[in-house]
């Protein structure tokens, strides 16, 4: 298997050198083909250094790992979240041929002006500002040359590494091969800008209407589809700065900067709550660099390369989980965790409930504004890992997104009360979960179900009666732990019968003794008393020895 790793990628030697230099003992043993012990992660700092040394693609892998608090403890998530690919932009001389190749018409006929200096550079792409012939300001996101080949090589490397640990307890518990495939798919998806553009359009459509905030205050850049390809994405240019650097003027609130700060925080939170609990499609990377405060006072969401999805059942369970956390209800949190889980077989349900009670206990004396909900969700993920409960990957992405959102919002407005922001949505959320978006349609659907039930019930009742009268009805019941109960009942019945026999002997002996006229009857009476006394003493001793006298 080690030879396969060597054949899969020329990066193997470089990986060995980086691992040796940073001191990850387990991976040293693994890469040299020796017998390994149980897999062990390096410390968060060592893992971060290894990923940085391995280059931009592995930094991107680290960023993907930071979205999985269902796999890694909170300290790893926090460390990996700070990973940024500090790569120099590719020279314009290498970028220009890519743009020309992707365009359907000459560069000069498409753009009036292009800034050859990149305004941003990442591990997969870099961005340039340009002006179309019609005067529209746009941003060009261009894929770095040769990055697709590099990513394919690196995917082959960590897929081979996953094969090496697949038979360990760690590898089986987390299905490490499937996990490597998932990360590989996610990396390859980031090479397809058409998909990112599709996500951007879907997000803009979802946020274009809302009952809880003014959609005119949220901006998602428009895609220029006629110029967008797999390696080139052209979108609307938005003038602004990252939200934490925004210089608020209070122009929309009579010069009151604090009021505007609170309004922007409310807008941000409600926009994301709608994505989580209504749309089921959310921007999964709301770090400060992707949240822009525009010059006209609006808020912009940028970079939809990473998105998450939540199905209606998960949305409902997560909504109820928020209420359970607010109520500090450990039992309900346990039940909802099992509902959310892919494999709901905890080692001990009592232990799961105790773990929830322990983490919620520290919030008993805190006000709701002091509860950090993202921290609670991270602790939920830790509890699930400790109890061998595997949660879907989209829950990890949800928790990470909630943590980013809450972190940015609290930094922007330290007085943030996340629960107060979601309260106005709660009534609508439960109404929607009960009736859907169209109550009339839900009523008609219920009426059809009742009609179907009324038509089928007589036939089902007829079948049941036929089976009962023909003696073909069978009941298959399985009762857990019934055998100890059966033995206990048998013992109780035997002792009761034994007691009845002893009592009967005593009564019989008493009757005979009262009417004894001969020596034979007196002997029989005494014998019955002696036998009853012996059996009674034996019964008493057996009860005492069983320890069940109380």
């Amino acid at each position: 298997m080690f030879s396969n790793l060597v054949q899969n990628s020329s990066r193997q030697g470089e990986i060995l050198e980086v691992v040796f230099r940073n001191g990850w003992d387990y991976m040293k043993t693994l890469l040299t083909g020796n017998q390994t012990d149980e897999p062990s992660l390096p410390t968060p700092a060592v893992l971060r250094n290894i990923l940085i040394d391995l280059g931009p693609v592995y930094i991107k892998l680290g960023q993907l790992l930071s979205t999985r608090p269902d796999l890694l403890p909170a300290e790893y998530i926090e460390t990996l979240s700070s990973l940024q690919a500090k790569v120099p932009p590719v020279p314009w001389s290498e970028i220009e041929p890519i743009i020309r190749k992707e365009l359907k018409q000459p560069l000069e006929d498409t753009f009036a002006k292009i800034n050859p200096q990149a305004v941003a550079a990442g591990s997969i792409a870099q961005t340039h500002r340009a002006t179309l012939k019609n005067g529209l300001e746009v941003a060009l996101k261009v894929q770095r040359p040769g990055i697709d080949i590099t990513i394919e090589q690196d995917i082959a490397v960590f897929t081979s590494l996953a094969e090496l640990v697949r038979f360990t307890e760690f590898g089986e518990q987390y299905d490490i091969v499937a996990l490597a495939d998932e990360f590989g798919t996610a990396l390859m998806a980031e090479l397809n800008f058409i998909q990112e553009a599709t996500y951007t359009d879907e997000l803009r459509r979802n946020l274009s209407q809302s009952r809880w905030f003014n959609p005119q205050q949220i901006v998602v850049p428009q895609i220029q589809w006629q110029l967008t390809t797999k390696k080139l994405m052209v979108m609307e240019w938005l003038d602004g700065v990252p939200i934490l650097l925004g210089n608020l003027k209070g122009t929309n609130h009579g010069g009151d900067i604090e009021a505007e700060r609170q309004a922007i925080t409310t807008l941000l939170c409600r926009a994301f709550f709608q994505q989580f609990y209504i749309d089921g499609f959310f921007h999964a990377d709301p770090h400060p660099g992707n949240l822009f405060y525009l010059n006209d006072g609006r808020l912009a969401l940028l970079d939809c390369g990473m998105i998450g999805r939540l199905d209606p059942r998960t949305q409902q369970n997560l909504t109820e989980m928020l209420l359970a956390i607010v109520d500090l209800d450990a039992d309900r949190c346990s039940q909802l965790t099992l509902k959310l889980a892919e494999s709901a077989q905890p080692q001990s349900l009592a232990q799961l409930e105790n773990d929830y009670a322990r983490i919620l206990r520290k919030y008993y004396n805190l006000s709701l504004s002091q509860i950090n909900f993202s921290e609670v969700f991270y602790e939920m993920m830790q509890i699930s890992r400790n109890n061998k409960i595997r949660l879907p990957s989209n829950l990890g992405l949800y928790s990470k997104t909630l943590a980013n959102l809450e972190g940015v919002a609290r930094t922007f407005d330290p007085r943030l009360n996340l629960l107060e922001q979601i309260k106005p949505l709660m009534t609508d959320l439960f109404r929607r979960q009960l009736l859907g978006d169209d109550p009339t349609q839900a009523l008609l659907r219920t009426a059809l179900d009742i009609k179907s039930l009324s038509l089928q019930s007589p036939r089902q009742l007829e079948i049941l009666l036929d089976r009962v009268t023909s003696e073909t009805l069978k009941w298959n019941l399985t009762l857990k732990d019934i055998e100890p109960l059966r033995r206990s009942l048998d013992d109780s019945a035997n002792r009761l019968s034994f007691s009845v026999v002893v009592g009967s002997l005593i009564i019989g002996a008493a009757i005979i003794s009262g009417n004894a006229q001969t020596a034979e009857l007196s002997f029989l009476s005494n014998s019955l008393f002696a036998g009853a006394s012996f059996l009674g003493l034996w019964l008493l001793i057996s009860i005492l020895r069983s320890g069940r006298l109380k």
Side-chain angles (χ1 to χ4, degrees):
M1 199 170 289
F2 176 69
S3 61
N4 290 338
L5 178 61
V6 178
Q7 293 171 5
N8 279 340
S9 174
S10 59
R11 297 286 309 271
Q12 184 265 345
E14 182 182 351
I15 293 174
L16 270 175
E17 191 274 328
V18 170
V19 167
F20 286 172
R21 185 172 68 247
N22 286 278
W24 184 4
D25 294 333
Y26 169 74
M27 192 56 70
K28 284 182 185 179
T29 307
L30 185 69
L31 289 174
T32 51
N34 296 324
Q35 184 67 31
T36 59
D37 298 324
E38 184 63 23
S40 60
L41 288 174
T43 63
V46 169
L47 179 58
R48 182 176 184 275
N49 291 338
I50 288 174
L51 293 173
I52 290 174
D53 288 349
L54 287 176
V57 175
Y58 280 82
I59 290 176
K60 176 61 69 175
L61 176 62
Q63 292 170 345
L64 290 174
L65 282 170
S66 74
T67 67
R68 299 299 301 273
D70 56 314
L71 299 177
L72 296 173
E75 58 268 23
Y76 284 89
I77 300 299
E78 182 179 355
T79 301
L80 295 179
S81 295
S82 64
L83 278 174
Q84 295 295 330
K86 296 180 181 179
V87 294
V90 177
W92 176 250
S93 59
E94 298 181 32
I95 289 294
E96 183 180 0
I98 296 177
I99 298 177
R100 289 186 178 276
K101 182 178 179 181
E102 297 299 315
L103 292 175
K104 297 177 182 177
Q105 55 186 357
L107 183 68
E108 293 75 15
D109 294 342
T110 306
F111 298 101
K113 180 175 61 176
I114 298 180
N115 185 351
Q117 299 297 322
V119 296
S123 56
I124 290 179
Q126 62 187 54
T127 304
H128 293 259
R129 185 172 183 175
T131 305
L132 296 177
K133 282 290 188 179
N134 60 10
L136 180 66
E137 295 285 326
V138 294
L140 308 181
K141 186 173 181 180
V142 190
Q143 199 170 113
R144 297 173 72 93
I147 191 64
D148 50 346
I149 297 174
T150 303
I151 285 182
E152 288 179 3
Q153 291 177 342
D154 287 338
I155 288 175
V157 171
F158 60 75
T159 299
S160 298
L161 292 176
E163 291 286 348
L164 287 173
V165 298
R166 66 179 301 185
F167 298 111
T168 65
E169 182 181 349
F170 176 88
E172 291 177 353
Q173 177 184 347
Y174 291 105
D175 194 359
I176 200 71
V177 174
L179 189 61
D181 289 341
E182 180 182 335
F183 283 135
T185 301
L187 281 173
M188 292 301 294
E190 294 214 24
L191 295 176
N192 187 353
F193 290 167
I194 292 179
Q195 179 171 291
E196 181 179 341
T198 302
Y199 292 157
T200 304
D201 264 4
E202 183 172 355
L203 183 64
R204 188 177 63 258
R205 285 195 303 270
N206 290 345
L207 295 179
S208 66
Q209 51 187 353
S210 177
R211 292 192 296 270
W212 303 306
F213 60 86
N214 181 3
Q216 301 300 321
Q217 292 299 111
I218 286 282
V219 181
V220 179
Q222 286 193 332
I223 302 297
Q224 299 295 311
W225 279 104
Q226 74 278 12
L227 301 174
T228 295
T229 67
K230 290 183 65 174
K231 294 187 177 184
L232 173 67
M233 184 165 67
V234 182
M235 62 193 132
E236 175 186 6
W237 177 269
L238 299 173
D239 281 314
V241 294
I243 186 171
L244 298 184
L245 302 177
N247 184 18
L248 302 186
K249 302 180 179 62
T251 53
N252 296 330
H253 294 81
D256 189 340
I257 294 178
E258 286 304 314
E260 183 163 354
R261 187 180 298 275
Q262 292 176 13
I264 291 174
T265 304
T266 298
L267 175 64
L268 179 64
C269 290
R270 293 191 179 183
F272 271 89
F273 290 152
Q274 173 170 310
Q275 294 174 58
F276 291 147
Y277 306 117
I278 299 299
D279 303 329
F281 175 91
F282 59 92
H283 186 299
D285 194 19
H287 67 72
N290 288 338
L291 302 173
F292 263 51
Y293 181 71
L294 301 184
N295 296 340
D296 58 9
R298 294 182 298 168
L299 190 66
L301 303 185
L302 308 179
D303 191 357
C304 297
M306 187 182 299
I307 61 96
R309 294 187 184 273
L310 297 171
D311 59 85
R313 176 176 171 272
T314 301
Q315 288 176 303
Q316 178 176 346
N317 289 332
L318 287 175
T319 306
E320 293 184 30
M321 182 68 80
L322 279 175
L323 294 178
I325 292 172
V326 169
D327 293 337
L328 303 179
D329 188 343
D331 291 345
R332 186 58 178 155
C333 286
S334 301
Q335 295 168 7
L336 290 169
T337 298
L338 297 181
K339 284 186 177 181
L340 289 166
E342 288 182 338
S343 55
Q345 293 296 329
Q347 294 178 334
S348 169
L349 182 58
Q351 181 62 46
L352 181 64
E353 293 174 356
N354 288 338
D355 288 344
Y356 269 113
R358 174 177 49 79
I359 69 165
L360 293 176
R361 195 175 298 125
K362 62 185 179 182
Y363 299 109
Y364 282 169
N365 296 322
L366 297 180
S367 66
L368 293 176
S369 61
Q370 294 174 296
I371 296 179
N372 188 319
F373 284 92
S374 59
E375 180 181 331
V376 177
F377 271 99
Y378 275 3
E379 290 176 326
M380 285 173 45
M381 297 292 178
Q382 180 68 52
I383 287 174
S384 299
R385 288 195 304 273
N386 293 344
N387 287 274
K388 310 297 183 184
I389 298 174
R390 185 186 300 170
L391 296 174
S393 59
N394 61 347
L395 290 188
L397 200 56
Y398 162 82
S399 299
K400 179 61 166 54
T401 304
L402 182 64
N404 282 352
L405 173 65
E406 190 170 12
V408 171
R410 285 188 187 276
T411 303
F412 189 71
D413 181 7
R415 295 179 297 179
L416 170 72
N417 183 338
L418 204 62
L419 184 65
E420 288 297 325
Q421 300 296 338
I422 200 175
K423 268 185 179 178
L425 284 69
M426 283 296 184
T427 303
D428 279 346
L429 285 174
F430 284 110
R431 180 200 60 78
R432 181 177 180 271
Q433 289 170 2
L434 288 172
L435 301 176
D437 292 322
D438 187 350
T440 303
Q441 183 179 355
L443 181 62
L444 291 174
R445 187 168 57 247
T446 302
L448 289 174
D449 289 341
I450 293 175
K451 177 185 176 183
S452 177
L453 179 63
S454 64
L455 292 175
Q456 294 178 8
S457 295
R459 176 58 179 162
Q460 297 295 330
L461 181 60
E462 181 183 357
I463 293 173
L464 177 61
L465 292 175
D466 285 344
R467 290 182 178 179
V468 171
T469 55
S470 63
E471 300 181 354
T472 60
L473 183 64
K474 294 183 180 180
W475 297 88
N476 294 321
L477 299 178
T478 302
L479 298 179
K480 188 178 181 181
D481 297 330
I482 192 65
E483 188 59 26
L485 177 62
R486 186 190 64 78
R487 288 198 298 268
S488 178
L489 290 175
D490 285 347
D491 291 344
S492 298
N494 291 338
R495 286 175 182 170
L496 181 61
S497 301
F498 207 68
S499 301
V500 171
V501 171
V502 171
S504 300
L505 290 175
I506 293 174
I507 293 172
I511 294 174
I512 294 172
S513 175
N515 298 300
Q517 302 296 327
T518 63
E520 289 81 2
L521 288 176
S522 297
F523 175 77
L524 177 60
S525 174
N526 292 334
S527 298
L528 290 176
F529 270 121
S533 299
F534 174 76
L535 293 175
L537 182 62
W538 185 18
L539 177 61
L540 180 61
I541 292 173
S542 67
I543 292 175
L544 290 173
R545 291 181 62 186
S546 70
R548 297 177 183 173
L549 184 60
K550 295 182 180 180

